Amino acid sequence: MNHKNGFNPLSRTTAHRRAMSRNMVTSLFRYERITTTKSKALEVRKSAEKLITRAKEDTVHNRREVAKFIADEKILNKLFTEIGPRMKERNGGYTRVLKLGYRQGDAADVVILELVDYKLETEKAEKQEKPAKKAAPKAAAPKAAPKAESAKPKKTTESKSRDAAPAKAKKETEKKPEAKKAAAKKTESKAE
């Protein structure tokens, strides 16, 4: 029975659990979609939803309260400028949990925790490609420019000396292994 248990301790110490929760919430807001175990997702979801509710109203007090939980300023700013306003019309239920199956090693329930309005990259790419395909036939193929050899800069004596320096260094490095091999052969012959 699960009576009067307010949260799942996840078999971790308090400090470890808090740190993990903060990291996972930050990752959720950064990528808007994370893959984790079901029990972790259900715990992270609680704190993430509370933070999004705070982010719907951008005040100094709300920012400071959320900043206690999220250390990264970029993610904090993204939460208040992008994610919060997107969720303005919703009265909760900002995240969803999608089941993936069981993990190979320990048979743990693996799920995807994502924001409700998350769009897959393939959908984003398709929308961007469609206008590009229509524009391609209209544009005429650019004519090839004639090649002019005078446009190429000629090497000066300074640039030649710069090019020669790495070549000398390569030769020296190639000699070193040969010298080591010869020294090793000498020591072997002396040992015999």
Side-chain angles (χ1 to χ4, degrees):
M1 296 238 195
N2 196 22
H3 295 312
K4 296 187 179 181
N5 285 342
F7 63 94
N8 183 351
L10 300 171
S11 300
R12 286 167 172 78
T13 61
T14 305
H16 185 182
R17 189 174 54 250
R18 271 191 199 142
M20 184 185 66
S21 178
R22 288 176 180 181
N23 287 334
M24 290 181 75
V25 168
T26 303
S27 294
L28 176 65
F29 293 147
R30 177 177 286 133
Y31 303 112
E32 299 185 11
R33 182 180 208 186
I34 58 173
T35 303
T36 183
T37 61
K38 183 179 177 183
S39 53
K40 285 182 194 173
L42 296 178
E43 285 302 308
V44 167
R45 174 187 216 173
K46 291 176 188 177
S47 50
E49 299 235 352
K50 290 176 184 175
L51 294 175
I52 292 173
T53 301
R54 286 240 182 224
K56 286 165 64 173
E57 188 179 342
D58 192 0
T59 62
V60 174
H61 177 68
N62 283 345
R63 276 189 181 258
R64 286 180 178 167
E65 288 296 314
V66 173
K68 288 179 183 178
F69 204 82
I70 297 175
D72 192 350
E73 288 183 23
K74 290 180 182 177
I75 302 304
L76 183 68
N77 193 33
K78 179 181 179 181
L79 180 61
F80 278 91
T81 58
E82 294 177 26
I83 297 171
R86 280 189 342 217
M87 304 291 185
K88 202 77 165 173
E89 301 300 316
R90 288 185 166 274
N91 294 326
Y94 311 113
T95 59
R96 76 167 60 103
V97 176
L98 304 170
K99 294 181 182 180
L100 286 179
Y102 297 101
R103 193 160 53 196
Q104 182 76 33
D106 59 356
D109 254 343
V110 179
V111 298
I112 293 175
L113 176 65
E114 68 180 10
L115 298 179
V116 172
D117 60 353
Y118 177 77
K119 300 276 191 279
L120 286 173
E121 281 116 29
T122 55
E123 292 174 5
K124 292 176 187 175
E126 287 174 7
K127 289 179 183 176
Q128 291 173 355
E129 287 177 13
K130 287 180 183 178
K133 288 180 181 177
K134 290 179 183 176
K138 292 178 185 177
K143 294 180 181 178
K147 295 182 181 179
E149 291 187 28
S150 60
K152 293 181 182 178
K154 294 182 179 179
K155 288 189 176 182
T156 60
T157 54
E158 293 176 350
S159 62
K160 285 181 183 177
S161 63
R162 279 189 231 135
D163 293 342
K168 288 180 182 178
K170 285 183 183 177
K171 288 179 183 177
E172 291 174 5
T173 56
E174 291 172 2
K175 290 179 182 177
K176 287 182 181 178
E178 293 172 6
K180 288 180 182 178
K181 288 179 184 177
K185 287 182 182 178
K186 287 180 183 177
T187 54
E188 287 177 7
S189 62
K190 289 179 182 178
E192 292 176 0

